[in-house]
Amino acid sequence: MLRWLGLVMVLWMGAPTYSPNAAEAVSSAAKIRVLVVSGGHDFETNAFYQVFKDNHQITFETVTHPKAHDWFKPEAAAKYDVVVLYDM
């Protein structure tokens, strides 16, 4: 539970105040690009990824281990502003 709270706090603290038109105001070019890395343990995938889907200030892609190692190469990692590690 504490990991969830920490993740939500990081995403929430970095997000501007929400207004009903905020989703339309943020263009895809201005969105924060997030890579979500998971693996090594079970978790409620739908609830976890919903946190990212509900944040209209970001776009995200997911990858699981062992495939995640390819995403850390400089040419792949340069596509992201943030890497979220939810793995063991």
Side-chain angles (χ1 to χ4, degrees):
M1 183 66 170
L2 288 177
R3 284 189 271 189
W4 274 93
L5 182 58
L7 174 63
V8 171
M9 290 299 293
V10 167
L11 291 173
W12 178 72
M13 289 171 50
T17 305
Y18 179 78
S19 68
N21 295 323
E24 294 91 26
V26 178
S27 71
S28 61
K31 291 185 177 185
I32 299 169
R33 302 166 300 168
V34 179
L35 176 64
V36 181
V37 180
S38 64
H41 61 89
D42 293 331
F43 62 98
E44 295 181 32
T45 56
N46 290 339
F48 178 73
Y49 292 125
Q50 193 64 43
V51 171
F52 300 96
K53 291 176 185 175
D54 289 344
N55 188 330
H56 300 288
Q57 286 83 29
I58 68 169
T59 61
F60 73 99
E61 291 187 59
T62 64
V63 63
T64 57
H65 280 296
K67 297 176 184 174
H69 296 284
D70 292 336
W71 292 91
F72 295 131
K73 294 177 183 173
E75 60 276 2
K79 295 182 352 183
Y80 302 99
D81 301 308
V82 176
V83 176
V84 176
L85 301 173
Y86 191 62
D87 63 330
M88 295 182 115

